[in-house]
């Protein structure tokens, strides 16, 4: 049985940086630079970011960040699962961890931007209750972007 864990960790570790580099290369293969809205390592280390790492048998296989916007909402950034670990439902586990953290922080909604050429990501978000919305924050309309949001269920 494969042991999978999800925990808040620092993004500044070699295995996570490797994942971020894989994510960068994947995004660059699908979209022009102006349609890639990636945040860098230093942005992921800010106090307003909760960064989660997925491990399988101790090895880093996925990551994502929850970036607080300062208005009661947060954005999912840098959600990525190692291609070698796809099919283990890590995206769903990471999303659940983000949502639990957002509820604990008392946030009202989680938002995201993803690309239209990523049907697996879009399917995950839709299956998890995210619905399309207008561009938010500093985003401008982009025919290659899909914007989504979901209200946060507050813990009783």
């Amino acid at each position: 049985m494969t042991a999978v864990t999800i925990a808040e960790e620092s993004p500044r570790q070699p295995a996570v940086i490797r994942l971020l580099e894989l994510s960068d290369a994947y995004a660059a293969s699908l979209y022009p630079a102006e349609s890639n809205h990636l945040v860098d390592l230093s942005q992921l280390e800010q106090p307003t970011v909760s960064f989660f790492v997925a491990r399988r048998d101790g090895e880093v296989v996925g990551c994502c960040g929850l970036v607080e916007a300062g208005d009661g909402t947060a954005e999912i950034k840098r959600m990525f699962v190692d291609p070698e670990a796809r099919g283990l439902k890590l995206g769903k586990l990471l999303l659940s961890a983000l949502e639990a953290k957002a509820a604990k922080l008392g946030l009202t909604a989680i938002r995201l931007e993803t690309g239209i050429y990523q049907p697996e990501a879009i399917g995950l978000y839709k299956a998890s209750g995210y619905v399309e919305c207008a561009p938010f924050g500093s985003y401008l309309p982009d025919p290659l972007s899909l914007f989504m949001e979901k209200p946060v269920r507050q813990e009783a």
Side-chain angles (χ1 to χ4, degrees), residues 6-9 50-54 62-66 94 97-98 101:
I6 309 287
E8 279 190 70
E9 296 185 28
S50 301
F51 193 80
F52 293 85
V53 174
C63 64
C64 61
L66 183 69
L94 285 163
L98 286 179
K101 179 68 175 194

Side-chain angles (χ1 to χ4, degrees), residues 128-155:
S128 299
Y130 289 77
V131 295
E132 291 186 42
C133 67
F136 56 88
S138 61
Y139 289 108
L140 299 173
D142 183 335
L144 299 178
S145 288
L146 182 64
F147 302 95
M148 303 179 87
E149 68 181 353
K150 179 181 179 179
V152 175
R153 281 182 109 143
Q154 297 303 320
E155 296 174 340

Side-chain angles (χ1 to χ4, degrees), residues 12-74:
R12 193 172 293 275
Q13 46 186 313
V16 172
I17 293 168
R18 177 187 153 275
L19 275 187
L20 296 175
E21 289 170 349
L22 286 173
S23 172
D24 292 348
Y26 180 63
S29 76
L30 295 174
Y31 308 103
E34 64 273 10
S35 291
N36 277 322
H37 307 285
L38 306 172
V39 293
D40 65 21
L41 189 60
S42 65
Q43 291 170 295
L44 294 172
E45 294 177 307
Q46 297 303 310
T48 54
V49 177
S50 301
F51 193 80
F52 293 85
V53 174
R55 292 177 180 270
R56 179 181 61 188
D57 296 329
E59 297 294 318
V60 173
V61 290
C63 64
C64 61
L66 183 69
V67 180
E68 294 177 61
D71 63 358
T73 68

